[in-house]
Amino acid sequence: MKMVHLFLALWLQLLGYGWAGMFRKYLVDSPHMWWPSNLIQVSLFRALHEKEKRLNGGKTRLQFFAIVCVSSFAYYVLPGYLFPSISTVSFICWIWKDSITAQQVGSGLNGLGIGSFGLDWSTVAGFLGSPLATPLFAILSTMAGFSMMVYIILPIAYWQNAFESRRFPMFSQETYDGAGQVYNVTRIMNERGFDLDVVGYDGYSKLYLSAVFAIGLGFGFAALMAAITHVALFDGKSIWEHWKKTTGEKNDRSIDVHTRIMRRNYEVVPRWWFMATMIIPFALSFLAIEGFGKQLQLPWWALIMACAFAFAFTLPAGIILATTNQYIAQMIWTDVIVDLLIGYIYPGKPLANVVFKSYSSVSMFQALDFLSDFKLGHYMKIPPKSMFLVQIAGTLVGSAAQFATAWALISNIDNICDIEKLPVGSPWTCPGYDYFYSTSILWGVIGPHRVLDNGVYSILKWFFLIGALAPFAIWLLARRFPNKKWIESVHVPIIFSGAYGILPARPVHYLSWAAVGIFFNYYVYRKYKGWWARHTYILSAALDAGVAFMAVMIYFTLQSKNVYGPVWWGLEADDHCPLAKCPTVPGIFVDGCPAFHITLNHF
Ligand SMILES: *[C@@H]1O[C@H](CO)[C@@H](O)[C@H](O)[C@H]1NC(C)=O
């Protein structure tokens, strides 16, 4: 096992906890920073731990949880082992078995997904989070972005052959060369230094993306800019006021009841505990990066830059999260800006790119999680010192265990993540990591300069401008028609990030997620409000738990011993639309696809 990887994982997780302590006063003690997502957890804990009287023969919430959890556990044998095809049903492809176009329209995984659905909780909640815990307006905004992307922009761009995209699958998160084959990264990498071989690159091909990948990146840029303008226009004033009140708190009277109880009963965590959790992991990271023969490619100044960057962004991201529950700004900030930044300043080094990205985003996420958990402890009256120690211990054990698991999987499973070579019925397809890998090739090896400044994709830069301006349009409309309240709830950043999230999620995930979410948060919410309020969050947690237990059980009892389900049509974890991934221009030849005959004279 390579120590450098384990060290990196451990120090990375701890680093952010250190500076979380610096922001405690502002983000935890202040009553104005109320962390909405914590309230859901508080209600779940109360349901599971408080004594409850049965209402005239009905069930307690704990009984409800148990029943749903066991049912979900039992059902997951089907999608998880015997019948994985049930996770993506795309019946248009069953009808038109020979038509590329029909399969591109009907495929739930590699096409527009019309009429596709999945009878599997992991299809519903695996990529986009639980729809039951997502407010209706956010579901509708996300679906507006999805529909705009998948039903308007993507078909037009694809069938007009924008970015030469008809040479490639319409939906794919892989990277391609000009001949329509998967990009052969070996040909552009120096073996010795593991960096870009410019001569090799010039002699090979530009890097191409599928239509959905390219446009999705554009929407990532747009969503980032839109988040900034939107927050400034719509939430700026209230965030600023909360902030002024938070920093202006001098006397005890403005402190809320939670803070007063906490201060009376418990000792606060001393500042040096936090200092130590910041300085020790930083020093060790420094050693990990400079030592080990500099395998990680990242120079020391970039490590400092990554940390400084994450530190500076923790407070604004924390204020937005704690007052509006918007994760988007920070997600896209780290996904897009960090990639571009290190890609511009230090191109051609894929590992440096990934390490920089991890340091500047994971540490910030950890800081925010830590603060959020402190606030949960604040609401639930947990002594802060115990909270701190338990979190640190949990993080160390958790990341070591996760690391060991990941390592064991990588070393024991042949062809892990290579869908073509895995046995049928194998669960190890890794959609999220695939996407991470492709973006690290795109921004880390080839670099944003080659892609955005003189590549096929330079037009994507305009999405920054579109994103920055779009919220203005809504803001102006809202001022023009002040009595139409719904205009203000049009949330441009969520719309754009709905379009951006299309990879690695796929249309079938969006459609199933939205169907369940709208059913519960519109229909059930309207008609059976009492039931909804009592059960929805618990339902979601119970379904998750059932799926997770069964997945682990199947793995340890069967799949880890290479015992897969009986071979039949339904064992493929696929939507049975083989032609949806085919190119649609002449001259490109891909295995398993019909060749287009050259009919045009000038070709
Ligand atoms: C990629 O390129 C390398 C070096 O030219 C070659 O050895 C290898 O076979 C290629 N791989 C594929 C899949 O074409």
Side-chain angles (χ1 to χ4, degrees):
M1 204 181 275
K2 284 199 176 167
M3 288 320 273
V4 59
H5 298 128
L6 177 62
F7 283 162
L8 204 64
L10 291 178
W11 314 145
L12 198 55
Q13 300 290 320
L14 285 181
L15 194 58
Y17 288 176
W19 63 69
M22 318 291 138
F23 301 120
R24 258 179 311 172
K25 174 167 182 285
Y26 309 119
L27 293 173
V28 178
D29 293 347
S30 166
H32 308 289
M33 303 293 148
W34 56 288
W35 294 90
S37 57
N38 272 332
L39 300 181
I40 296 172
Q41 295 205 30
V42 171
S43 77
L44 183 65
F45 288 143
R46 291 185 52 180
L48 297 180
H49 292 284
E50 277 176 9
K51 285 258 180 315
E52 190 180 4
K53 281 224 181 71
R54 290 219 219 158
L55 300 168
N56 38 19
K59 294 180 185 55
T60 65
R61 284 185 285 190
L62 193 55
Q63 286 170 325
F64 177 76
F65 180 88
I67 292 170
V68 176
C69 185
V70 169
S71 319
S72 162
F73 176 79
Y75 177 79
Y76 193 67
V77 172
L78 289 183
Y81 191 68
L82 296 173
F83 192 3
S85 296
I86 208 174
S87 303
T88 323
V89 178
S90 306
F91 61 83
I92 289 187
C93 300
W94 308 349
I95 304 173
W96 285 282
K97 288 195 163 64
D98 303 316
S99 161
I100 295 185
T101 310
Q103 300 209 354
Q104 282 174 330
V105 169
S107 168
L109 291 177
N110 300 308
L112 308 183
I114 298 211
S116 69
F117 57 90
L119 299 176
D120 173 7
W121 177 247
S122 66
T123 303
V124 171
F127 284 88
L128 298 163
S130 170
L132 303 183
T134 310
L136 185 66
F137 89 91
I139 295 178
L140 295 178
S141 304
T142 302
M143 290 315 284
F146 167 79
S147 310
M148 174 178 71
M149 169 83 182
V150 171
Y151 298 129
I152 301 173
I153 298 179
L154 175 65
I156 294 177
Y158 180 80
W159 275 296
Q160 289 296 319
N161 202 18
F163 318 118
E164 313 274 339
S165 53
R166 294 182 65 166
R167 288 193 212 166
F168 318 108
M170 178 194 259
F171 253 84
S172 167
Q173 55 202 25
E174 277 179 293
T175 48
Y176 295 92
D177 64 20
Q181 310 302 316
V182 171
Y183 202 83
N184 188 343
V185 178
T186 322
R187 290 181 59 176
I188 61 159
M189 298 286 282
N190 283 318
E191 226 166 281
R192 180 98 53 78
F194 201 59
D195 53 4
L196 178 68
D197 171 7
V198 179
V199 179
Y201 174 76
D202 290 339
Y204 177 31
S205 160
K206 279 185 182 159
L207 181 112
Y208 289 89
L209 305 169
S210 68
V212 78
F213 198 146
I215 302 168
L217 284 176
F219 275 109
F221 301 159
L224 167 76
M225 298 309 288
I228 296 170
T229 350
H230 180 93
V231 168
L233 287 175
F234 289 92
D235 305 316
K237 218 164 133 196
S238 79
I239 291 174
W240 180 243
E241 270 158 20
H242 283 312
W243 176 244
K244 269 199 311 203
K245 282 186 204 142
T246 298
T247 49
E249 258 164 21
K250 292 268 151 42
N251 52 355
D252 248 19
R253 248 185 311 157
S254 59
I255 297 179
D256 72 339
V257 55
H258 299 291
T259 309
R260 225 170 302 143
I261 295 175
M262 293 297 279
R263 287 205 184 147
R264 202 163 50 224
N265 293 318
Y266 302 125
E267 285 174 60
V268 294
V269 182
R271 213 179 165 79
W272 70 267
W273 288 22
F274 286 104
M275 286 303 233
T277 11
M278 182 157 80
I279 291 168
I280 297 171
F282 181 78
L284 292 172
S285 303
F286 208 89
L287 291 182
I289 278 178
E290 285 292 308
F292 298 103
K294 300 207 179 190
Q295 280 177 49
L296 299 175
Q297 294 182 338
L298 196 72
W300 60 270
W301 51 265
L303 173 68
I304 295 177
M305 207 170 122
C307 295
F309 188 62
F311 182 82
F313 200 60
T314 300
L315 187 60
I319 296 172
I320 294 173
L321 191 59
T323 54
T324 66
N325 204 24
Q326 292 303 327
Y327 286 90
I328 314 164
Q330 88 210 47
M331 295 290 293
I332 295 170
W333 180 272
T334 53
D335 270 8
V336 178
I337 283 298
V338 168
D339 266 342
L340 293 186
L341 194 77
I342 186 69
Y344 269 115
I345 57 180
Y346 208 59
K349 310 273 185 193
L351 284 180
N353 179 282
V354 171
V355 175
F356 185 89
K357 183 169 166 169
S358 306
Y359 268 94
S360 50
S361 55
V362 175
S363 57
M364 186 186 72
F365 283 136
Q366 289 294 96
L368 294 175
D369 277 353
F370 207 41
L371 288 163
S372 169
D373 287 343
F374 265 105
K375 188 72 177 190
L376 185 63
H378 196 81
Y379 284 139
M380 308 293 288
K381 307 296 167 303
I382 298 166
K385 276 186 168 174
S386 322
M387 192 83 188
F388 182 95
L389 293 174
V390 169
Q391 296 261 45
I392 300 280
T395 304
L396 288 176
V397 174
S399 32
Q402 289 201 10
F403 181 80
T405 314
W407 200 269
L409 293 180
I410 292 172
S411 15
N412 292 330
I413 295 172
D414 294 333
N415 303 319
I416 190 168
C417 302
D418 188 344
I419 302 175
E420 313 278 302
K421 294 198 190 122
L422 284 170
V424 181
S426 168
W428 305 109
T429 55
C430 331
Y433 297 101
D434 240 14
Y435 185 71
F436 193 93
Y437 173 77
S438 291
T439 51
S440 78
I441 299 298
L442 185 66
W443 306 131
V445 182
I446 296 184
H449 177 63
R450 286 193 177 78
V451 176
L452 289 181
D453 294 341
N454 44 16
V456 203
Y457 301 104
S458 54
I459 194 173
L460 294 180
K461 283 191 284 190
W462 289 98
F463 277 87
F464 282 107
L465 189 66
I466 296 172
L469 295 182
F472 271 108
I474 303 296
W475 188 69
L476 290 175
L477 279 177
R479 304 197 90 190
R480 175 79 185 69
F481 304 104
N483 48 358
K484 294 215 169 37
K485 279 285 165 226
W486 62 269
I487 297 180
E488 277 204 24
S489 56
V490 175
H491 201 294
V492 179
I494 301 190
I495 296 178
F496 286 168
S497 63
Y500 166 69
I502 191 66
L503 287 178
R506 296 298 169 95
V508 66
H509 304 121
Y510 273 84
L511 295 169
S512 315
W513 176 82
V516 172
I518 291 171
F519 177 74
F520 275 95
N521 290 333
Y522 182 76
Y523 177 75
V524 178
Y525 178 77
R526 294 256 155 137
K527 281 214 111 139
Y528 307 98
K529 212 167 215 154
W531 190 94
W532 185 92
R534 236 172 102 79
H535 293 110
T536 307
Y537 294 133
I538 298 171
L539 176 65
S540 169
L543 287 167
D544 279 347
V547 168
F549 286 138
M550 180 51 91
V552 169
M553 206 187 82
I554 294 173
Y555 177 69
F556 279 110
T557 55
L558 299 164
Q559 286 164 338
S560 65
K561 305 189 169 62
N562 286 328
V563 181
Y564 298 107
V567 176
W568 68 298
W569 176 87
L571 187 67
E572 268 174 66
D574 187 31
D575 56 1
H576 299 280
C577 304
L579 300 183
K581 293 192 84 166
C582 287
T584 53
V585 281
I588 305 288
F589 301 100
V590 174
D591 279 349
C593 289
F596 278 79
H597 294 291
I598 300 169
T599 48
L600 301 175
N601 299 336
H602 62 265
F603 210 85

